[in-house]
PDB file of all heavy atoms in Angstrom:
ATOM      1  N   ASP K 227     -16.428 -22.370  14.076  1.00  0.00           N
ATOM      2  CA  ASP K 227     -17.116 -23.491  14.682  1.00  0.00           C
ATOM      3  C   ASP K 227     -17.157 -24.633  13.681  1.00  0.00           C
ATOM      4  O   ASP K 227     -17.034 -25.789  14.037  1.00  0.00           O
ATOM      5  CB  ASP K 227     -18.537 -23.082  15.070  1.00  0.00           C
ATOM      6  CG  ASP K 227     -18.521 -22.006  16.144  1.00  0.00           C
ATOM      7  OD1 ASP K 227     -17.840 -22.199  17.160  1.00  0.00           O
ATOM      8  OD2 ASP K 227     -19.157 -20.946  15.925  1.00  0.00           O
ATOM      9  N   ARG K 228     -17.373 -24.234  12.420  1.00  0.00           N
ATOM     10  CA  ARG K 228     -17.375 -25.247  11.376  1.00  0.00           C
ATOM     11  C   ARG K 228     -16.601 -24.729  10.178  1.00  0.00           C
ATOM     12  O   ARG K 228     -16.514 -23.527   9.951  1.00  0.00           O
ATOM     13  CB  ARG K 228     -18.805 -25.589  10.955  1.00  0.00           C
ATOM     14  CG  ARG K 228     -19.388 -26.724  11.789  1.00  0.00           C
ATOM     15  CD  ARG K 228     -20.735 -27.130  11.298  1.00  0.00           C
ATOM     16  NE  ARG K 228     -21.619 -25.974  11.196  1.00  0.00           N
ATOM     17  CZ  ARG K 228     -22.342 -25.728  10.118  1.00  0.00           C
ATOM     18  NH1 ARG K 228     -22.265 -26.493   9.058  1.00  0.00           N
ATOM     19  NH2 ARG K 228     -23.143 -24.692  10.098  1.00  0.00           N
ATOM     20  N   VAL K 229     -16.042 -25.665   9.413  1.00  0.00           N
ATOM     21  CA  VAL K 229     -15.317 -25.323   8.195  1.00  0.00           C
ATOM     22  C   VAL K 229     -15.924 -26.115   7.048  1.00  0.00           C
ATOM     23  O   VAL K 229     -16.240 -27.295   7.202  1.00  0.00           O
ATOM     24  CB  VAL K 229     -13.814 -25.660   8.337  1.00  0.00           C
ATOM     25  CG1 VAL K 229     -13.113 -25.550   6.993  1.00  0.00           C
ATOM     26  CG2 VAL K 229     -13.161 -24.738   9.357  1.00  0.00           C
ATOM     27  N   CYS K 230     -16.170 -25.432   5.910  1.00  0.00           N
ATOM     28  CA  CYS K 230     -16.653 -26.117   4.709  1.00  0.00           C
ATOM     29  C   CYS K 230     -15.597 -25.999   3.632  1.00  0.00           C
ATOM     30  O   CYS K 230     -15.095 -24.907   3.365  1.00  0.00           O
ATOM     31  CB  CYS K 230     -17.932 -25.479   4.180  1.00  0.00           C
ATOM     32  SG  CYS K 230     -19.283 -25.593   5.325  1.00  0.00           S
ATOM     33  N   PHE K 231     -15.272 -27.112   3.015  1.00  0.00           N
ATOM     34  CA  PHE K 231     -14.318 -27.060   1.911  1.00  0.00           C
ATOM     35  C   PHE K 231     -15.081 -27.130   0.594  1.00  0.00           C
ATOM     36  O   PHE K 231     -15.842 -28.079   0.357  1.00  0.00           O
ATOM     37  CB  PHE K 231     -13.329 -28.220   2.021  1.00  0.00           C
ATOM     38  CG  PHE K 231     -12.478 -28.353   0.797  1.00  0.00           C
ATOM     39  CD1 PHE K 231     -11.545 -27.368   0.472  1.00  0.00           C
ATOM     40  CD2 PHE K 231     -12.619 -29.452  -0.053  1.00  0.00           C
ATOM     41  CE1 PHE K 231     -10.774 -27.490  -0.669  1.00  0.00           C
ATOM     42  CE2 PHE K 231     -11.845 -29.559  -1.194  1.00  0.00           C
ATOM     43  CZ  PHE K 231     -10.928 -28.574  -1.509  1.00  0.00           C
ATOM     44  N   LEU K 232     -14.896 -26.095  -0.234  1.00  0.00           N
ATOM     45  CA  LEU K 232     -15.566 -26.057  -1.536  1.00  0.00           C
ATOM     46  C   LEU K 232     -14.587 -26.382  -2.650  1.00  0.00           C
ATOM     47  O   LEU K 232     -13.424 -25.952  -2.617  1.00  0.00           O
ATOM     48  CB  LEU K 232     -16.127 -24.657  -1.808  1.00  0.00           C
ATOM     49  CG  LEU K 232     -17.583 -24.387  -1.449  1.00  0.00           C
ATOM     50  CD1 LEU K 232     -17.669 -23.876  -0.038  1.00  0.00           C
ATOM     51  CD2 LEU K 232     -18.176 -23.390  -2.412  1.00  0.00           C
ATOM     52  N   GLU K 233     -15.082 -27.119  -3.631  1.00  0.00           N
ATOM     53  CA  GLU K 233     -14.295 -27.354  -4.836  1.00  0.00           C
ATOM     54  C   GLU K 233     -15.262 -27.434  -6.001  1.00  0.00           C
ATOM     55  O   GLU K 233     -16.262 -28.158  -5.933  1.00  0.00           O
ATOM     56  CB  GLU K 233     -13.502 -28.653  -4.703  1.00  0.00           C
ATOM     57  CG  GLU K 233     -12.500 -28.841  -5.831  1.00  0.00           C
ATOM     58  CD  GLU K 233     -11.813 -30.185  -5.743  1.00  0.00           C
ATOM     59  OE1 GLU K 233     -12.523 -31.200  -5.614  1.00  0.00           O
ATOM     60  OE2 GLU K 233     -10.589 -30.221  -5.791  1.00  0.00           O
ATOM     61  N   ASP K 234     -14.983 -26.697  -7.050  1.00  0.00           N
ATOM     62  CA  ASP K 234     -15.841 -26.686  -8.241  1.00  0.00           C
ATOM     63  C   ASP K 234     -17.306 -26.446  -7.891  1.00  0.00           C
ATOM     64  O   ASP K 234     -18.200 -27.065  -8.473  1.00  0.00           O
ATOM     65  CB  ASP K 234     -15.724 -28.010  -9.016  1.00  0.00           C
ATOM     66  CG  ASP K 234     -14.319 -28.195  -9.554  1.00  0.00           C
ATOM     67  OD1 ASP K 234     -13.671 -27.170  -9.832  1.00  0.00           O
ATOM     68  OD2 ASP K 234     -13.877 -29.353  -9.658  1.00  0.00           O
ATOM     69  N   GLY K 235     -17.568 -25.589  -6.931  1.00  0.00           N
ATOM     70  CA  GLY K 235     -18.944 -25.236  -6.601  1.00  0.00           C
ATOM     71  C   GLY K 235     -19.682 -26.277  -5.782  1.00  0.00           C
ATOM     72  O   GLY K 235     -20.898 -26.223  -5.662  1.00  0.00           O
ATOM     73  N   VAL K 236     -18.944 -27.234  -5.236  1.00  0.00           N
ATOM     74  CA  VAL K 236     -19.580 -28.280  -4.437  1.00  0.00           C
ATOM     75  C   VAL K 236     -18.915 -28.279  -3.067  1.00  0.00           C
ATOM     76  O   VAL K 236     -17.701 -28.099  -2.960  1.00  0.00           O
ATOM     77  CB  VAL K 236     -19.390 -29.666  -5.098  1.00  0.00           C
ATOM     78  CG1 VAL K 236     -20.014 -30.752  -4.247  1.00  0.00           C
ATOM     79  CG2 VAL K 236     -19.956 -29.661  -6.501  1.00  0.00           C
ATOM     80  N   ILE K 237     -19.722 -28.461  -2.009  1.00  0.00           N
ATOM     81  CA  ILE K 237     -19.134 -28.614  -0.680  1.00  0.00           C
ATOM     82  C   ILE K 237     -18.659 -30.055  -0.560  1.00  0.00           C
ATOM     83  O   ILE K 237     -19.461 -30.980  -0.468  1.00  0.00           O
ATOM     84  CB  ILE K 237     -20.147 -28.276   0.429  1.00  0.00           C
ATOM     85  CG1 ILE K 237     -20.521 -26.797   0.334  1.00  0.00           C
ATOM     86  CG2 ILE K 237     -19.545 -28.576   1.800  1.00  0.00           C
ATOM     87  CD1 ILE K 237     -21.433 -26.316   1.438  1.00  0.00           C
ATOM     88  N   ARG K 238     -17.339 -30.240  -0.604  1.00  0.00           N
ATOM     89  CA  ARG K 238     -16.791 -31.603  -0.585  1.00  0.00           C
ATOM     90  C   ARG K 238     -16.754 -32.150   0.839  1.00  0.00           C
ATOM     91  O   ARG K 238     -16.861 -33.348   1.055  1.00  0.00           O
ATOM     92  CB  ARG K 238     -15.371 -31.610  -1.134  1.00  0.00           C
ATOM     93  CG  ARG K 238     -15.275 -31.241  -2.591  1.00  0.00           C
ATOM     94  CD  ARG K 238     -15.281 -32.466  -3.480  1.00  0.00           C
ATOM     95  NE  ARG K 238     -14.983 -32.081  -4.847  1.00  0.00           N
ATOM     96  CZ  ARG K 238     -15.802 -32.283  -5.867  1.00  0.00           C
ATOM     97  NH1 ARG K 238     -16.953 -32.895  -5.673  1.00  0.00           N
ATOM     98  NH2 ARG K 238     -15.473 -31.884  -7.080  1.00  0.00           N
ATOM     99  N   GLU K 239     -16.498 -31.241   1.768  1.00  0.00           N
ATOM    100  CA  GLU K 239     -16.357 -31.723   3.140  1.00  0.00           C
ATOM    101  C   GLU K 239     -16.778 -30.623   4.096  1.00  0.00           C
ATOM    102  O   GLU K 239     -16.548 -29.440   3.848  1.00  0.00           O
ATOM    103  CB  GLU K 239     -14.894 -32.123   3.414  1.00  0.00           C
ATOM    104  CG  GLU K 239     -14.704 -32.710   4.790  1.00  0.00           C
ATOM    105  CD  GLU K 239     -13.413 -33.518   4.887  1.00  0.00           C
ATOM    106  OE1 GLU K 239     -12.685 -33.587   3.889  1.00  0.00           O
ATOM    107  OE2 GLU K 239     -13.169 -34.063   5.974  1.00  0.00           O
ATOM    108  N   GLU K 240     -17.407 -31.048   5.173  1.00  0.00           N
ATOM    109  CA  GLU K 240     -17.909 -30.086   6.142  1.00  0.00           C
ATOM    110  C   GLU K 240     -17.766 -30.688   7.518  1.00  0.00           C
ATOM    111  O   GLU K 240     -18.047 -31.876   7.706  1.00  0.00           O
ATOM    112  CB  GLU K 240     -19.385 -29.805   5.825  1.00  0.00           C
ATOM    113  CG  GLU K 240     -20.018 -28.804   6.742  1.00  0.00           C
ATOM    114  CD  GLU K 240     -21.499 -28.611   6.404  1.00  0.00           C
ATOM    115  OE1 GLU K 240     -21.928 -29.049   5.321  1.00  0.00           O
ATOM    116  OE2 GLU K 240     -22.203 -28.045   7.241  1.00  0.00           O
ATOM    117  N   GLY K 241     -17.294 -29.923   8.463  1.00  0.00           N
ATOM    118  CA  GLY K 241     -17.149 -30.468   9.806  1.00  0.00           C
ATOM    119  C   GLY K 241     -16.578 -29.432  10.739  1.00  0.00           C
ATOM    120  O   GLY K 241     -16.460 -28.258  10.377  1.00  0.00           O
ATOM    121  N   THR K 242     -16.190 -29.888  11.939  1.00  0.00           N
ATOM    122  CA  THR K 242     -15.560 -28.946  12.861  1.00  0.00           C
ATOM    123  C   THR K 242     -14.215 -28.535  12.283  1.00  0.00           C
ATOM    124  O   THR K 242     -13.625 -29.262  11.468  1.00  0.00           O
ATOM    125  CB  THR K 242     -15.318 -29.593  14.232  1.00  0.00           C
ATOM    126  OG1 THR K 242     -14.388 -30.658  14.052  1.00  0.00           O
ATOM    127  CG2 THR K 242     -16.602 -30.111  14.840  1.00  0.00           C
ATOM    128  N   ALA K 243     -13.741 -27.381  12.692  1.00  0.00           N
ATOM    129  CA  ALA K 243     -12.476 -26.883  12.167  1.00  0.00           C
ATOM    130  C   ALA K 243     -11.375 -27.898  12.432  1.00  0.00           C
ATOM    131  O   ALA K 243     -10.555 -28.199  11.553  1.00  0.00           O
ATOM    132  CB  ALA K 243     -12.144 -25.546  12.823  1.00  0.00           C
ATOM    133  N   GLU K 244     -11.370 -28.433  13.642  1.00  0.00           N
ATOM    134  CA  GLU K 244     -10.350 -29.388  14.053  1.00  0.00           C
ATOM    135  C   GLU K 244     -10.338 -30.578  13.095  1.00  0.00           C
ATOM    136  O   GLU K 244      -9.298 -30.953  12.559  1.00  0.00           O
ATOM    137  CB  GLU K 244     -10.685 -29.840  15.481  1.00  0.00           C
ATOM    138  CG  GLU K 244      -9.582 -30.579  16.175  1.00  0.00           C
ATOM    139  CD  GLU K 244      -8.317 -29.719  16.300  1.00  0.00           C
ATOM    140  OE1 GLU K 244      -8.461 -28.480  16.425  1.00  0.00           O
ATOM    141  OE2 GLU K 244      -7.214 -30.288  16.265  1.00  0.00           O
ATOM    142  N   GLN K 245     -11.539 -31.109  12.850  1.00  0.00           N
ATOM    143  CA  GLN K 245     -11.621 -32.314  12.027  1.00  0.00           C
ATOM    144  C   GLN K 245     -11.206 -32.033  10.591  1.00  0.00           C
ATOM    145  O   GLN K 245     -10.350 -32.726  10.032  1.00  0.00           O
ATOM    146  CB  GLN K 245     -13.048 -32.871  12.087  1.00  0.00           C
ATOM    147  CG  GLN K 245     -13.218 -34.161  11.299  1.00  0.00           C
ATOM    148  CD  GLN K 245     -13.876 -33.906   9.965  1.00  0.00           C
ATOM    149  OE1 GLN K 245     -14.957 -33.319   9.908  1.00  0.00           O
ATOM    150  NE2 GLN K 245     -13.225 -34.313   8.886  1.00  0.00           N
ATOM    151  N   VAL K 246     -11.780 -30.969   9.963  1.00  0.00           N
ATOM    152  CA  VAL K 246     -11.527 -30.741   8.540  1.00  0.00           C
ATOM    153  C   VAL K 246     -10.076 -30.350   8.307  1.00  0.00           C
ATOM    154  O   VAL K 246      -9.449 -30.769   7.334  1.00  0.00           O
ATOM    155  CB  VAL K 246     -12.471 -29.654   7.987  1.00  0.00           C
ATOM    156  CG1 VAL K 246     -12.125 -29.336   6.536  1.00  0.00           C
ATOM    157  CG2 VAL K 246     -13.914 -30.093   8.105  1.00  0.00           C
ATOM    158  N   LEU K 247      -9.522 -29.557   9.203  1.00  0.00           N
ATOM    159  CA  LEU K 247      -8.193 -29.014   8.930  1.00  0.00           C
ATOM    160  C   LEU K 247      -7.061 -29.947   9.364  1.00  0.00           C
ATOM    161  O   LEU K 247      -5.968 -29.894   8.810  1.00  0.00           O
ATOM    162  CB  LEU K 247      -8.035 -27.649   9.609  1.00  0.00           C
ATOM    163  CG  LEU K 247      -8.969 -26.571   9.052  1.00  0.00           C
ATOM    164  CD1 LEU K 247      -8.864 -25.301   9.874  1.00  0.00           C
ATOM    165  CD2 LEU K 247      -8.647 -26.282   7.596  1.00  0.00           C
ATOM    166  N   THR K 248      -7.308 -30.787  10.374  1.00  0.00           N
ATOM    167  CA  THR K 248      -6.209 -31.671  10.789  1.00  0.00           C
ATOM    168  C   THR K 248      -6.422 -33.109  10.323  1.00  0.00           C
ATOM    169  O   THR K 248      -5.464 -33.835  10.114  1.00  0.00           O
ATOM    170  CB  THR K 248      -6.037 -31.675  12.321  1.00  0.00           C
ATOM    171  OG1 THR K 248      -7.299 -31.990  12.913  1.00  0.00           O
ATOM    172  CG2 THR K 248      -5.545 -30.334  12.818  1.00  0.00           C
ATOM    173  N   ASP K 249      -7.671 -33.495  10.130  1.00  0.00           N
ATOM    174  CA  ASP K 249      -7.922 -34.891   9.749  1.00  0.00           C
ATOM    175  C   ASP K 249      -8.939 -34.945   8.621  1.00  0.00           C
ATOM    176  O   ASP K 249     -10.022 -35.498   8.779  1.00  0.00           O
ATOM    177  CB  ASP K 249      -8.443 -35.654  10.983  1.00  0.00           C
ATOM    178  CG  ASP K 249      -8.647 -37.126  10.683  1.00  0.00           C
ATOM    179  OD1 ASP K 249      -8.017 -37.613   9.706  1.00  0.00           O
ATOM    180  OD2 ASP K 249      -9.452 -37.756  11.385  1.00  0.00           O
ATOM    181  N   PRO K 250      -8.616 -34.343   7.468  1.00  0.00           N
ATOM    182  CA  PRO K 250      -9.599 -34.290   6.381  1.00  0.00           C
ATOM    183  C   PRO K 250      -9.904 -35.683   5.846  1.00  0.00           C
ATOM    184  O   PRO K 250      -9.011 -36.514   5.733  1.00  0.00           O
ATOM    185  CB  PRO K 250      -8.912 -33.415   5.326  1.00  0.00           C
ATOM    186  CG  PRO K 250      -7.464 -33.508   5.630  1.00  0.00           C
ATOM    187  CD  PRO K 250      -7.344 -33.726   7.096  1.00  0.00           C
ATOM    188  N   ARG K 251     -11.208 -35.924   5.568  1.00  0.00           N
ATOM    189  CA  ARG K 251     -11.599 -37.261   5.099  1.00  0.00           C
ATOM    190  C   ARG K 251     -11.540 -37.326   3.581  1.00  0.00           C
ATOM    191  O   ARG K 251     -11.193 -38.339   3.008  1.00  0.00           O
ATOM    192  CB  ARG K 251     -13.041 -37.550   5.539  1.00  0.00           C
ATOM    193  CG  ARG K 251     -13.263 -37.294   7.010  1.00  0.00           C
ATOM    194  CD  ARG K 251     -13.703 -38.552   7.765  1.00  0.00           C
ATOM    195  NE  ARG K 251     -13.385 -38.380   9.192  1.00  0.00           N
ATOM    196  CZ  ARG K 251     -14.236 -37.858  10.061  1.00  0.00           C
ATOM    197  NH1 ARG K 251     -15.435 -37.498   9.697  1.00  0.00           N
ATOM    198  NH2 ARG K 251     -13.885 -37.711  11.327  1.00  0.00           N
ATOM    199  N   HIS K 252     -11.921 -36.218   2.925  1.00  0.00           N
ATOM    200  CA  HIS K 252     -12.045 -36.253   1.470  1.00  0.00           C
ATOM    201  C   HIS K 252     -10.668 -36.062   0.835  1.00  0.00           C
ATOM    202  O   HIS K 252      -9.911 -35.187   1.256  1.00  0.00           O
ATOM    203  CB  HIS K 252     -12.998 -35.143   1.017  1.00  0.00           C
ATOM    204  CG  HIS K 252     -13.547 -35.366  -0.356  1.00  0.00           C
ATOM    205  ND1 HIS K 252     -12.800 -35.138  -1.482  1.00  0.00           N
ATOM    206  CD2 HIS K 252     -14.769 -35.807  -0.776  1.00  0.00           C
ATOM    207  CE1 HIS K 252     -13.546 -35.414  -2.553  1.00  0.00           C
ATOM    208  NE2 HIS K 252     -14.744 -35.827  -2.140  1.00  0.00           N
ATOM    209  N   PRO K 253     -10.330 -36.859  -0.155  1.00  0.00           N
ATOM    210  CA  PRO K 253      -8.994 -36.737  -0.763  1.00  0.00           C
ATOM    211  C   PRO K 253      -8.721 -35.338  -1.319  1.00  0.00           C
ATOM    212  O   PRO K 253      -7.591 -34.845  -1.206  1.00  0.00           O
ATOM    213  CB  PRO K 253      -9.011 -37.775  -1.888  1.00  0.00           C
ATOM    214  CG  PRO K 253     -10.402 -38.292  -1.973  1.00  0.00           C
ATOM    215  CD  PRO K 253     -11.104 -37.983  -0.700  1.00  0.00           C
ATOM    216  N   SER K 254      -9.746 -34.675  -1.886  1.00  0.00           N
ATOM    217  CA  SER K 254      -9.462 -33.358  -2.470  1.00  0.00           C
ATOM    218  C   SER K 254      -9.218 -32.319  -1.380  1.00  0.00           C
ATOM    219  O   SER K 254      -8.461 -31.374  -1.572  1.00  0.00           O
ATOM    220  CB  SER K 254     -10.601 -32.919  -3.400  1.00  0.00           C
ATOM    221  OG  SER K 254     -11.811 -32.915  -2.712  1.00  0.00           O
ATOM    222  N   THR K 255      -9.842 -32.481  -0.220  1.00  0.00           N
ATOM    223  CA  THR K 255      -9.531 -31.600   0.911  1.00  0.00           C
ATOM    224  C   THR K 255      -8.079 -31.779   1.312  1.00  0.00           C
ATOM    225  O   THR K 255      -7.348 -30.817   1.551  1.00  0.00           O
ATOM    226  CB  THR K 255     -10.431 -31.919   2.125  1.00  0.00           C
ATOM    227  OG1 THR K 255     -11.752 -32.128   1.701  1.00  0.00           O
ATOM    228  CG2 THR K 255     -10.382 -30.793   3.134  1.00  0.00           C
TER     229      THR K 255
END
Side-chain angles (χ1 to χ4, degrees):
Chain K
D227 296 309
R228 270 185 307 131
V229 169
C230 297
F231 170 67
L232 265 90
E233 189 185 50
D234 296 330
V236 178
I237 295 184
R238 295 266 189 240
E239 184 161 1
E240 181 182 346
T242 64
E244 193 60 32
Q245 182 259 305
V246 175
L247 295 174
T248 54
D249 183 21
R251 309 241 158 91
H252 199 284
S254 56
T255 317

